Amino acid sequence: SLSLSLSLSLSLSLSLPLPPPSLSPPRHDLFGYVGIEAVLDQMRRKTMKAGFEFNIMVVGQSGLGKSTLVNTLFKSKVSRKSCSPNYEEKISKTVKLQSVSHVIEEKGVKMKLTVIDTPGFGDQINNENCWEPIVSYVNEQYERYLKEELYVNRKPRIPDTRVHCCVYFLPATGHWLRPIDVEFMKRLGKIVSIVPIIAKADTLTMEERQEFKQRIRQDLNANGIRVYPQTEYDEDPEDRILNDKIRENIPFAVVGTDKEHQVNGNKVLGRKTKWGIIEVENVAHCEFTNLRDLLIRSHLQDLKDVTHNIHYETFRVRRLNESNLTVHGLALIIVYTHTTLEFRILESPPESDLQYTVANTATASCFYSIL
């Protein structure tokens, strides 16, 4: 009976599947304080010394309060109107992009904020292809960053002029998206993070506002327009819960102003009308705080990450694939100088098994591609 039980247990142990090996490294509990958490303090000090950059583009027709809203967002005179005291806005005959940079500091944290304005967009009788200068500008910033990356002797910190976010201003018509809105967001949504907002939302009643927001969301879905934050970029369930709440409220209905008024003994930002004061930072009056939280307090770094890891990476792969031309088995050399982009064909490829080899001169960085 003993031999029978041993044989049965042996046969059962042989027939049972072995547990899969652990893929994670073994965890070692520390017997005392080491100080690993101090890495976060080191990163924080380094970031505070270097500061960081944030580039925001505002797009919409004249008179929607783009400059005022940006000033309200950052509580600073950062719009192009504040650059000259006698500024007078004139409707441009063509779309001309203008950028203004300011360094904003809060509690020791420095941020170089660049606001890119698009005067002339949507202001003409014929607005056909009025988005092309904006698309070209966004791609030019990607191209500039790519060239800096391709230099052999790169700068310790590459200047980042890429557009991290595009705030698109929709007029409060109360109807549906206009054809120009659909075409613009269709094209720009593929290369930059778009956040649509309803400008001057105080011209709509609360019922009209909710109906308009619902129609816009229907239009966005019907036309396959991708606005930020996209569902496919949610990294974990916690992010998905937060982003779902944001997606339910997009587009944000906002009111912008830089004037303060007294309400119950407190100074508040608001617009004074004959019916009362519309408080900008009161969620019962408008959704300005939701927009500010998205752009600055909760998703600013994510906007930069999506720009670098998604939009710029897509551009970089496309540009490098375009340069990988098949020319009868010859080698194609791409020369980035400080001012030009040159293509040359070598009669004999470099002797290397690598896909590309890097060479360096005083004024250019060269990439050889074995074709």
Side-chain angles (χ1 to χ4, degrees), residues 20 30 46 70 80 83 92 109 115 119 128 135 139-140 149 179 190 205 210 231 239 242 249 261 267 281 290 292 340:
L30 302 177
K46 201 168 185 179
V70 171
R80 61 189 175 94
C83 297
S92 177
V109 179
V115 179
E128 186 178 3
V135 173
N139 287 327
E140 283 170 6
E149 277 193 335
K190 299 175 182 177
T205 65
Q210 292 303 320
T231 54
D239 283 348
L242 175 61
N249 290 322
H261 299 276
K267 284 187 176 182
E281 296 177 305
N290 296 339
R292 181 186 60 195
T340 61

PDB file of all heavy atoms in Angstrom, residues 20 30 46 70 80 83 92 109 115 119 128 135 139-140 149 179 190 205 210 231 239 242 249 261 267 281 290 292 340:
ATOM      1  N   PRO A  20       4.022  28.527 -14.193  1.00  0.00           N
ATOM      2  CA  PRO A  20       4.884  29.310 -15.084  1.00  0.00           C
ATOM      3  C   PRO A  20       5.947  30.060 -14.302  1.00  0.00           C
ATOM      4  O   PRO A  20       5.703  30.488 -13.168  1.00  0.00           O
ATOM      5  CB  PRO A  20       3.902  30.289 -15.758  1.00  0.00           C
ATOM      6  CG  PRO A  20       2.756  30.385 -14.794  1.00  0.00           C
ATOM      7  CD  PRO A  20       2.655  29.041 -14.142  1.00  0.00           C
ATOM      8  N   LEU A  30      13.875  45.881   2.071  1.00  0.00           N
ATOM      9  CA  LEU A  30      14.989  46.596   2.675  1.00  0.00           C
ATOM     10  C   LEU A  30      14.894  46.526   4.193  1.00  0.00           C
ATOM     11  O   LEU A  30      13.808  46.602   4.777  1.00  0.00           O
ATOM     12  CB  LEU A  30      14.979  48.053   2.212  1.00  0.00           C
ATOM     13  CG  LEU A  30      15.059  48.256   0.693  1.00  0.00           C
ATOM     14  CD1 LEU A  30      14.958  49.740   0.359  1.00  0.00           C
ATOM     15  CD2 LEU A  30      16.355  47.680   0.142  1.00  0.00           C
ATOM     16  N   LYS A  46      16.109  69.637 -10.259  1.00  0.00           N
ATOM     17  CA  LYS A  46      16.695  69.814 -11.584  1.00  0.00           C
ATOM     18  C   LYS A  46      15.705  70.470 -12.540  1.00  0.00           C
ATOM     19  O   LYS A  46      16.060  71.348 -13.335  1.00  0.00           O
ATOM     20  CB  LYS A  46      17.132  68.448 -12.125  1.00  0.00           C
ATOM     21  CG  LYS A  46      18.177  68.523 -13.213  1.00  0.00           C
ATOM     22  CD  LYS A  46      18.759  67.155 -13.483  1.00  0.00           C
ATOM     23  CE  LYS A  46      19.892  67.247 -14.492  1.00  0.00           C
ATOM     24  NZ  LYS A  46      20.491  65.924 -14.764  1.00  0.00           N
ATOM     25  N   VAL A  70      -6.540  83.596 -23.235  1.00  0.00           N
ATOM     26  CA  VAL A  70      -5.183  83.166 -22.890  1.00  0.00           C
ATOM     27  C   VAL A  70      -4.667  83.967 -21.705  1.00  0.00           C
ATOM     28  O   VAL A  70      -4.047  83.415 -20.781  1.00  0.00           O
ATOM     29  CB  VAL A  70      -4.247  83.321 -24.112  1.00  0.00           C
ATOM     30  CG1 VAL A  70      -2.801  83.091 -23.708  1.00  0.00           C
ATOM     31  CG2 VAL A  70      -4.650  82.349 -25.211  1.00  0.00           C
ATOM     32  N   ARG A  80      -0.651  88.528 -27.827  1.00  0.00           N
ATOM     33  CA  ARG A  80       0.030  89.469 -28.732  1.00  0.00           C
ATOM     34  C   ARG A  80      -0.486  90.891 -28.550  1.00  0.00           C
ATOM     35  O   ARG A  80       0.193  91.852 -28.866  1.00  0.00           O
ATOM     36  CB  ARG A  80      -0.155  89.020 -30.191  1.00  0.00           C
ATOM     37  CG  ARG A  80      -1.613  88.973 -30.638  1.00  0.00           C
ATOM     38  CD  ARG A  80      -1.740  88.304 -32.001  1.00  0.00           C
ATOM     39  NE  ARG A  80      -3.134  88.144 -32.373  1.00  0.00           N
ATOM     40  CZ  ARG A  80      -3.811  89.002 -33.116  1.00  0.00           C
ATOM     41  NH1 ARG A  80      -3.224  90.097 -33.544  1.00  0.00           N
ATOM     42  NH2 ARG A  80      -5.075  88.793 -33.436  1.00  0.00           N
ATOM     43  N   CYS A  83       1.675  93.131 -26.315  1.00  0.00           N
ATOM     44  CA  CYS A  83       3.065  93.409 -26.672  1.00  0.00           C
ATOM     45  C   CYS A  83       3.282  94.890 -26.969  1.00  0.00           C
ATOM     46  O   CYS A  83       4.351  95.423 -26.760  1.00  0.00           O
ATOM     47  CB  CYS A  83       3.485  92.569 -27.869  1.00  0.00           C
ATOM     48  SG  CYS A  83       3.447  90.820 -27.531  1.00  0.00           S
ATOM     49  N   SER A  92      -6.790  90.400 -41.043  1.00  0.00           N
ATOM     50  CA  SER A  92      -5.744  90.100 -42.015  1.00  0.00           C
ATOM     51  C   SER A  92      -6.367  89.502 -43.270  1.00  0.00           C
ATOM     52  O   SER A  92      -7.356  88.775 -43.222  1.00  0.00           O
ATOM     53  CB  SER A  92      -4.740  89.119 -41.415  1.00  0.00           C
ATOM     54  OG  SER A  92      -3.768  88.761 -42.368  1.00  0.00           O
ATOM     55  N   VAL A 109       8.826  77.896  -9.889  1.00  0.00           N
ATOM     56  CA  VAL A 109       8.782  77.089 -11.107  1.00  0.00           C
ATOM     57  C   VAL A 109       8.672  78.030 -12.307  1.00  0.00           C
ATOM     58  O   VAL A 109       7.749  78.850 -12.376  1.00  0.00           O
ATOM     59  CB  VAL A 109       7.595  76.108 -11.089  1.00  0.00           C
ATOM     60  CG1 VAL A 109       7.568  75.293 -12.377  1.00  0.00           C
ATOM     61  CG2 VAL A 109       7.675  75.194  -9.884  1.00  0.00           C
ATOM     62  N   VAL A 115       2.670  81.496 -27.096  1.00  0.00           N
ATOM     63  CA  VAL A 115       1.307  81.520 -27.617  1.00  0.00           C
ATOM     64  C   VAL A 115       1.389  81.808 -29.114  1.00  0.00           C
ATOM     65  O   VAL A 115       1.939  82.830 -29.533  1.00  0.00           O
ATOM     66  CB  VAL A 115       0.457  82.586 -26.907  1.00  0.00           C
ATOM     67  CG1 VAL A 115      -0.960  82.610 -27.483  1.00  0.00           C
ATOM     68  CG2 VAL A 115       0.411  82.331 -25.407  1.00  0.00           C
ATOM     69  N   PRO A 119      -4.150  85.082 -36.746  1.00  0.00           N
ATOM     70  CA  PRO A 119      -5.061  86.117 -37.248  1.00  0.00           C
ATOM     71  C   PRO A 119      -5.367  85.905 -38.729  1.00  0.00           C
ATOM     72  O   PRO A 119      -4.513  85.524 -39.516  1.00  0.00           O
ATOM     73  CB  PRO A 119      -4.264  87.411 -37.029  1.00  0.00           C
ATOM     74  CG  PRO A 119      -2.835  86.990 -36.940  1.00  0.00           C
ATOM     75  CD  PRO A 119      -2.849  85.624 -36.326  1.00  0.00           C
ATOM     76  N   GLU A 128     -11.342  78.803 -48.351  1.00  0.00           N
ATOM     77  CA  GLU A 128     -10.833  77.526 -48.849  1.00  0.00           C
ATOM     78  C   GLU A 128      -9.340  77.397 -48.547  1.00  0.00           C
ATOM     79  O   GLU A 128      -8.554  78.314 -48.805  1.00  0.00           O
ATOM     80  CB  GLU A 128     -11.072  77.423 -50.359  1.00  0.00           C
ATOM     81  CG  GLU A 128     -10.708  76.076 -50.945  1.00  0.00           C
ATOM     82  CD  GLU A 128     -11.003  76.011 -52.445  1.00  0.00           C
ATOM     83  OE1 GLU A 128     -11.436  77.033 -53.002  1.00  0.00           O
ATOM     84  OE2 GLU A 128     -10.782  74.937 -53.024  1.00  0.00           O
ATOM     85  N   VAL A 135      -1.181  74.042 -40.836  1.00  0.00           N
ATOM     86  CA  VAL A 135      -0.612  72.696 -40.980  1.00  0.00           C
ATOM     87  C   VAL A 135       0.881  72.790 -41.292  1.00  0.00           C
ATOM     88  O   VAL A 135       1.689  72.050 -40.723  1.00  0.00           O
ATOM     89  CB  VAL A 135      -1.352  71.915 -42.082  1.00  0.00           C
ATOM     90  CG1 VAL A 135      -0.669  70.578 -42.352  1.00  0.00           C
ATOM     91  CG2 VAL A 135      -2.813  71.683 -41.693  1.00  0.00           C
ATOM     92  N   ASN A 139       4.086  71.302 -38.957  1.00  0.00           N
ATOM     93  CA  ASN A 139       5.067  70.372 -39.526  1.00  0.00           C
ATOM     94  C   ASN A 139       6.471  70.975 -39.567  1.00  0.00           C
ATOM     95  O   ASN A 139       7.464  70.254 -39.412  1.00  0.00           O
ATOM     96  CB  ASN A 139       4.639  69.946 -40.933  1.00  0.00           C
ATOM     97  CG  ASN A 139       3.470  68.980 -40.904  1.00  0.00           C
ATOM     98  OD1 ASN A 139       3.332  68.177 -39.984  1.00  0.00           O
ATOM     99  ND2 ASN A 139       2.611  69.055 -41.911  1.00  0.00           N
ATOM    100  N   GLU A 140       6.563  72.279 -39.762  1.00  0.00           N
ATOM    101  CA  GLU A 140       7.879  72.934 -39.763  1.00  0.00           C
ATOM    102  C   GLU A 140       8.545  72.816 -38.393  1.00  0.00           C
ATOM    103  O   GLU A 140       9.775  72.661 -38.304  1.00  0.00           O
ATOM    104  CB  GLU A 140       7.726  74.407 -40.147  1.00  0.00           C
ATOM    105  CG  GLU A 140       7.506  74.636 -41.643  1.00  0.00           C
ATOM    106  CD  GLU A 140       7.128  76.077 -41.942  1.00  0.00           C
ATOM    107  OE1 GLU A 140       7.160  76.908 -40.994  1.00  0.00           O
ATOM    108  OE2 GLU A 140       6.782  76.369 -43.099  1.00  0.00           O
ATOM    109  N   GLU A 149      17.842  66.777 -33.791  1.00  0.00           N
ATOM    110  CA  GLU A 149      18.125  65.424 -33.313  1.00  0.00           C
ATOM    111  C   GLU A 149      19.149  64.714 -34.179  1.00  0.00           C
ATOM    112  O   GLU A 149      19.916  63.871 -33.692  1.00  0.00           O
ATOM    113  CB  GLU A 149      16.840  64.594 -33.292  1.00  0.00           C
ATOM    114  CG  GLU A 149      15.988  64.790 -32.067  1.00  0.00           C
ATOM    115  CD  GLU A 149      14.901  63.736 -31.952  1.00  0.00           C
ATOM    116  OE1 GLU A 149      14.495  63.170 -32.980  1.00  0.00           O
ATOM    117  OE2 GLU A 149      14.454  63.486 -30.828  1.00  0.00           O
ATOM    118  N   PRO A 179     -18.696  73.920 -41.892  1.00  0.00           N
ATOM    119  CA  PRO A 179     -17.761  73.141 -42.731  1.00  0.00           C
ATOM    120  C   PRO A 179     -16.307  73.463 -42.460  1.00  0.00           C
ATOM    121  O   PRO A 179     -15.451  72.570 -42.474  1.00  0.00           O
ATOM    122  CB  PRO A 179     -18.175  73.531 -44.157  1.00  0.00           C
ATOM    123  CG  PRO A 179     -19.617  73.906 -44.049  1.00  0.00           C
ATOM    124  CD  PRO A 179     -19.766  74.546 -42.696  1.00  0.00           C
ATOM    125  N   LYS A 190      -4.839  65.111 -36.754  1.00  0.00           N
ATOM    126  CA  LYS A 190      -3.889  64.033 -37.043  1.00  0.00           C
ATOM    127  C   LYS A 190      -2.462  64.396 -36.641  1.00  0.00           C
ATOM    128  O   LYS A 190      -1.608  63.518 -36.534  1.00  0.00           O
ATOM    129  CB  LYS A 190      -3.923  63.693 -38.532  1.00  0.00           C
ATOM    130  CG  LYS A 190      -5.284  63.214 -39.015  1.00  0.00           C
ATOM    131  CD  LYS A 190      -5.278  63.006 -40.523  1.00  0.00           C
ATOM    132  CE  LYS A 190      -6.649  62.571 -41.032  1.00  0.00           C
ATOM    133  NZ  LYS A 190      -6.681  62.422 -42.508  1.00  0.00           N
ATOM    134  N   THR A 205     -28.181  80.428 -23.415  1.00  0.00           N
ATOM    135  CA  THR A 205     -28.787  80.001 -22.156  1.00  0.00           C
ATOM    136  C   THR A 205     -28.221  78.628 -21.781  1.00  0.00           C
ATOM    137  O   THR A 205     -27.580  77.958 -22.596  1.00  0.00           O
ATOM    138  CB  THR A 205     -30.313  79.921 -22.285  1.00  0.00           C
ATOM    139  OG1 THR A 205     -30.652  78.896 -23.225  1.00  0.00           O
ATOM    140  CG2 THR A 205     -30.895  81.254 -22.736  1.00  0.00           C
ATOM    141  N   GLN A 210     -26.237  73.255 -23.504  1.00  0.00           N
ATOM    142  CA  GLN A 210     -26.183  71.803 -23.454  1.00  0.00           C
ATOM    143  C   GLN A 210     -26.571  71.175 -24.792  1.00  0.00           C
ATOM    144  O   GLN A 210     -25.961  70.188 -25.224  1.00  0.00           O
ATOM    145  CB  GLN A 210     -27.098  71.288 -22.335  1.00  0.00           C
ATOM    146  CG  GLN A 210     -26.630  71.631 -20.934  1.00  0.00           C
ATOM    147  CD  GLN A 210     -25.222  71.123 -20.646  1.00  0.00           C
ATOM    148  OE1 GLN A 210     -24.846  70.017 -21.039  1.00  0.00           O
ATOM    149  NE2 GLN A 210     -24.426  71.939 -19.968  1.00  0.00           N
ATOM    150  N   THR A 231      -9.247  58.216 -26.467  1.00  0.00           N
ATOM    151  CA  THR A 231      -9.419  57.028 -25.623  1.00  0.00           C
ATOM    152  C   THR A 231      -8.235  56.072 -25.743  1.00  0.00           C
ATOM    153  O   THR A 231      -7.871  55.399 -24.776  1.00  0.00           O
ATOM    154  CB  THR A 231     -10.707  56.288 -26.007  1.00  0.00           C
ATOM    155  OG1 THR A 231     -10.691  56.017 -27.423  1.00  0.00           O
ATOM    156  CG2 THR A 231     -11.935  57.130 -25.688  1.00  0.00           C
ATOM    157  N   ASP A 239      -6.618  56.757 -15.334  1.00  0.00           N
ATOM    158  CA  ASP A 239      -6.611  57.774 -16.387  1.00  0.00           C
ATOM    159  C   ASP A 239      -7.915  57.741 -17.175  1.00  0.00           C
ATOM    160  O   ASP A 239      -8.444  58.785 -17.567  1.00  0.00           O
ATOM    161  CB  ASP A 239      -5.433  57.553 -17.338  1.00  0.00           C
ATOM    162  CG  ASP A 239      -4.122  58.017 -16.736  1.00  0.00           C
ATOM    163  OD1 ASP A 239      -4.160  58.707 -15.701  1.00  0.00           O
ATOM    164  OD2 ASP A 239      -3.055  57.687 -17.295  1.00  0.00           O
ATOM    165  N   LEU A 242     -10.734  59.545 -15.307  1.00  0.00           N
ATOM    166  CA  LEU A 242     -10.549  60.994 -15.359  1.00  0.00           C
ATOM    167  C   LEU A 242     -10.841  61.539 -16.748  1.00  0.00           C
ATOM    168  O   LEU A 242     -11.546  62.545 -16.913  1.00  0.00           O
ATOM    169  CB  LEU A 242      -9.119  61.351 -14.931  1.00  0.00           C
ATOM    170  CG  LEU A 242      -8.710  62.826 -15.048  1.00  0.00           C
ATOM    171  CD1 LEU A 242      -9.589  63.701 -14.162  1.00  0.00           C
ATOM    172  CD2 LEU A 242      -7.244  63.004 -14.686  1.00  0.00           C
ATOM    173  N   ASN A 249     -17.641  66.390 -21.135  1.00  0.00           N
ATOM    174  CA  ASN A 249     -17.879  67.834 -21.088  1.00  0.00           C
ATOM    175  C   ASN A 249     -17.340  68.588 -22.300  1.00  0.00           C
ATOM    176  O   ASN A 249     -17.567  69.794 -22.413  1.00  0.00           O
ATOM    177  CB  ASN A 249     -17.261  68.427 -19.815  1.00  0.00           C
ATOM    178  CG  ASN A 249     -18.004  68.012 -18.568  1.00  0.00           C
ATOM    179  OD1 ASN A 249     -19.226  67.925 -18.570  1.00  0.00           O
ATOM    180  ND2 ASN A 249     -17.269  67.734 -17.498  1.00  0.00           N
ATOM    181  N   HIS A 261     -14.159  92.104 -10.281  1.00  0.00           N
ATOM    182  CA  HIS A 261     -15.327  92.775  -9.724  1.00  0.00           C
ATOM    183  C   HIS A 261     -15.527  92.290  -8.292  1.00  0.00           C
ATOM    184  O   HIS A 261     -15.072  91.211  -7.910  1.00  0.00           O
ATOM    185  CB  HIS A 261     -16.582  92.485 -10.565  1.00  0.00           C
ATOM    186  CG  HIS A 261     -16.488  92.950 -11.982  1.00  0.00           C
ATOM    187  ND1 HIS A 261     -16.761  94.242 -12.369  1.00  0.00           N
ATOM    188  CD2 HIS A 261     -16.139  92.286 -13.125  1.00  0.00           C
ATOM    189  CE1 HIS A 261     -16.593  94.365 -13.681  1.00  0.00           C
ATOM    190  NE2 HIS A 261     -16.215  93.185 -14.156  1.00  0.00           N
ATOM    191  N   LYS A 267     -12.989  89.743  -4.465  1.00  0.00           N
ATOM    192  CA  LYS A 267     -12.657  90.088  -5.846  1.00  0.00           C
ATOM    193  C   LYS A 267     -12.685  88.839  -6.706  1.00  0.00           C
ATOM    194  O   LYS A 267     -12.055  87.833  -6.364  1.00  0.00           O
ATOM    195  CB  LYS A 267     -11.266  90.732  -5.922  1.00  0.00           C
ATOM    196  CG  LYS A 267     -11.224  92.171  -5.442  1.00  0.00           C
ATOM    197  CD  LYS A 267      -9.855  92.785  -5.700  1.00  0.00           C
ATOM    198  CE  LYS A 267      -9.840  94.256  -5.297  1.00  0.00           C
ATOM    199  NZ  LYS A 267      -8.510  94.886  -5.596  1.00  0.00           N
ATOM    200  N   GLU A 281     -14.548  81.956 -12.918  1.00  0.00           N
ATOM    201  CA  GLU A 281     -14.073  80.775 -12.199  1.00  0.00           C
ATOM    202  C   GLU A 281     -15.167  80.087 -11.390  1.00  0.00           C
ATOM    203  O   GLU A 281     -14.876  79.264 -10.526  1.00  0.00           O
ATOM    204  CB  GLU A 281     -12.901  81.165 -11.294  1.00  0.00           C
ATOM    205  CG  GLU A 281     -11.685  81.648 -12.087  1.00  0.00           C
ATOM    206  CD  GLU A 281     -10.556  82.106 -11.187  1.00  0.00           C
ATOM    207  OE1 GLU A 281     -10.807  82.985 -10.336  1.00  0.00           O
ATOM    208  OE2 GLU A 281      -9.435  81.597 -11.321  1.00  0.00           O
ATOM    209  N   ASN A 290     -12.666  74.043 -15.819  1.00  0.00           N
ATOM    210  CA  ASN A 290     -12.415  72.724 -16.406  1.00  0.00           C
ATOM    211  C   ASN A 290     -11.340  72.801 -17.480  1.00  0.00           C
ATOM    212  O   ASN A 290     -10.467  71.937 -17.573  1.00  0.00           O
ATOM    213  CB  ASN A 290     -13.700  72.151 -17.004  1.00  0.00           C
ATOM    214  CG  ASN A 290     -14.770  71.898 -15.952  1.00  0.00           C
ATOM    215  OD1 ASN A 290     -14.459  71.771 -14.778  1.00  0.00           O
ATOM    216  ND2 ASN A 290     -16.019  71.828 -16.368  1.00  0.00           N
ATOM    217  N   ARG A 292      -8.986  75.163 -17.701  1.00  0.00           N
ATOM    218  CA  ARG A 292      -7.702  75.481 -17.049  1.00  0.00           C
ATOM    219  C   ARG A 292      -7.099  74.240 -16.401  1.00  0.00           C
ATOM    220  O   ARG A 292      -5.886  74.008 -16.512  1.00  0.00           O
ATOM    221  CB  ARG A 292      -7.911  76.575 -16.007  1.00  0.00           C
ATOM    222  CG  ARG A 292      -6.628  76.994 -15.295  1.00  0.00           C
ATOM    223  CD  ARG A 292      -6.919  77.966 -14.185  1.00  0.00           C
ATOM    224  NE  ARG A 292      -7.810  77.360 -13.192  1.00  0.00           N
ATOM    225  CZ  ARG A 292      -8.468  78.067 -12.268  1.00  0.00           C
ATOM    226  NH1 ARG A 292      -8.337  79.380 -12.219  1.00  0.00           N
ATOM    227  NH2 ARG A 292      -9.247  77.446 -11.394  1.00  0.00           N
ATOM    228  N   THR A 340      20.022  73.970 -44.902  1.00  0.00           N
ATOM    229  CA  THR A 340      19.434  73.243 -46.021  1.00  0.00           C
ATOM    230  C   THR A 340      19.359  71.757 -45.731  1.00  0.00           C
ATOM    231  O   THR A 340      19.996  71.240 -44.828  1.00  0.00           O
ATOM    232  CB  THR A 340      20.259  73.451 -47.309  1.00  0.00           C
ATOM    233  OG1 THR A 340      21.588  72.957 -47.089  1.00  0.00           O
ATOM    234  CG2 THR A 340      20.304  74.918 -47.713  1.00  0.00           C
TER     235      THR A 340
END
